[in-house]
Amino acid sequence: MKNKKERLQLIVNLVKKNSIGSQNELAQMLEKNGCRVTQATLSRDLKSMKITKVATNDGGYMYIIPDTNKIHDSMLMSGQRSMTAHQQVGFISIKFSGNIAVIKTRNGYAAGLAYDIDMSHSDEVLGTIAGADTVFAIMDENLSHDDALKFFARFIPVEHE
């Protein structure tokens, strides 16, 4: 491997295309691709790219890459994103309990969705709490569920009238 930039790109590609559960497993994959790294270097690389582990449905873990680039964030903050360009593919369902929206996602997708909602800095949602597969979104108490669905359609594929 010629340089750090190439190594980091290889790590991104491997994490995106494989279910990798440990640094040792990732190091072996890197070595098969011509990149030998120490555990300390790999750990620093993962930390610098904010790659993290999430629990899988089978009781194991896998690395994921959060979606936090600056352009993405600034577009969310200004509300400039088109629906198809950003909707979370891990979305499962949304239900309401008073002024709380309970959004179910595939395992590992809730934090990214909550982040996107929070970065919109909207008046509709006061804040979110995310687990591995669930987002609690606290909505303004005067917001109707239909208006909430219109708002959430910016982030998830929901139907509203």
Side-chain angles (χ1 to χ4, degrees):
M1 192 69 24
K2 293 180 183 173
N3 61 37
K4 181 177 179 178
K5 183 177 179 181
E6 289 178 6
R7 182 179 72 242
L8 295 178
Q9 187 58 55
L10 179 57
I11 291 170
V12 168
N13 292 341
L14 289 171
V15 169
K16 282 183 176 180
K17 295 177 183 173
N18 300 281
S19 178
I20 301 170
S22 70
Q23 286 186 11
N24 186 44
E25 187 179 349
L26 179 55
Q28 290 173 1
M29 292 176 132
L30 286 166
E31 190 164 355
K32 285 180 186 176
N33 285 276
C35 179
R36 195 155 200 239
V37 296
T38 65
Q39 185 277 327
T41 297
L42 185 54
S43 182
R44 281 191 299 273
D45 288 348
L46 293 172
K47 185 176 181 178
S48 74
M49 293 186 291
K50 297 182 178 31
I51 294 176
T52 188
K53 279 187 186 179
V54 296
T56 60
N57 291 334
D58 63 3
Y61 293 91
M62 69 180 273
Y63 285 107
I64 62 165
I65 300 171
D67 184 14
T68 60
N69 66 60
K70 290 182 181 182
I71 294 171
H72 172 83
D73 292 350
S74 63
M75 290 178 81
L76 282 170
M77 289 171 60
S78 64
Q80 294 177 9
R81 302 214 41 187
S82 66
M83 277 195 342
T84 56
H86 71 280
Q87 288 177 337
Q88 294 282 332
V89 293
F91 170 73
I92 295 174
S93 68
I94 183 169
K95 292 184 179 178
F96 297 98
S97 178
N99 71 325
I100 299 173
V102 179
I103 305 168
K104 292 296 214 175
T105 69
R106 288 179 40 222
N107 193 29
Y109 285 80
L113 176 58
Y115 179 84
D116 286 353
I117 292 168
D118 287 338
M119 286 303 296
S120 72
H121 297 287
S122 71
D123 293 331
E124 291 91 342
V125 175
L126 305 177
T128 62
I129 301 170
D133 64 358
T134 305
V135 175
F136 290 108
I138 313 304
M139 303 174 308
D140 181 275
E141 61 189 40
N142 298 316
L143 188 68
S144 72
H145 292 173
D146 187 53
D147 286 340
L149 286 174
K150 289 176 188 172
F151 168 77
F152 287 120
R154 293 171 49 194
F155 307 97
I156 54 179
V158 295
E159 306 242 344
H160 59 86
E161 298 176 15

